Amino acid sequence: MGDEADAPAERDAILVAAADYIESWLDGDSQRMARCLHPDLVKREVVHGDSETGSTLETMTRDEMVAATAQGSGRRYARPYDAGILDVFGDIATVRVLSSVYMDYLHVAKFGDRWLLVNVLWQRRPGR
């Protein structure tokens, strides 16, 4: 794809995928969430244990994320968020989504004519 990913229409499509992710979470819209996630999505959080157990990674699959969305787990949080593209190269991009409660780093890739999330690394914002 080359430099075409930097075209305004492609950048807009990348941001639509990010908006679908965070807005569907906040709205409890599992169908919208399912549409923006690649079937092999992996979502990860670093969980800090005590000094003896250290830190671990908690992982969610696409199906688990869609189910949590359907249960309305994100509906209790405030709507404002900010999404920005950090980098685009060919058919891949990295997007930062800062919401009222979370910081999410999204890896997004183009499949056919659609941009889908393939990886998410997230952390709860301190004090939220």
Side-chain angles (χ1 to χ4, degrees), residues 77 99-102 123-128:
Y77 302 118
S99 65
S100 62
V101 187
Y102 307 110
Q123 181 175 320
R124 183 174 294 277
R125 294 177 64 188
R128 308 285 171 133

Side-chain angles (χ1 to χ4, degrees), residues 47-93:
V47 178
H48 300 287
D50 59 35
S51 59
E52 290 183 27
T53 61
S55 299
T56 61
L57 278 177
E58 284 194 9
T59 301
M60 289 181 75
T61 65
R62 176 190 183 271
D63 291 344
E64 291 169 334
M65 188 65 195
V66 171
T69 302
Q71 293 171 357
S73 298
R75 294 183 74 159
R76 63 182 172 260
Y77 302 118
R79 179 68 174 219
Y81 69 89
D82 179 63
I85 296 173
L86 299 176
D87 193 28
V88 179
F89 182 86
D91 292 335
I92 60 175

Side-chain angles (χ1 to χ4, degrees), residues 9-24:
E10 292 297 331
R11 294 180 75 80
D12 288 347
I14 292 165
L15 289 173
V16 165
D20 284 347
Y21 166 76
I22 190 63
E23 290 176 9
S24 65

Side-chain angles (χ1 to χ4, degrees), residues 25-54:
W25 176 248
L26 297 173
D27 294 342
D29 185 341
S30 61
Q31 291 181 347
R32 187 176 178 191
M33 178 65 79
R35 285 193 308 264
C36 73
L37 304 179
H38 187 275
D40 294 324
L41 171 102
V42 177
K43 182 174 178 177
R44 293 183 173 101
E45 172 192 22
V46 177
V47 178
H48 300 287
D50 59 35
S51 59
E52 290 183 27
T53 61

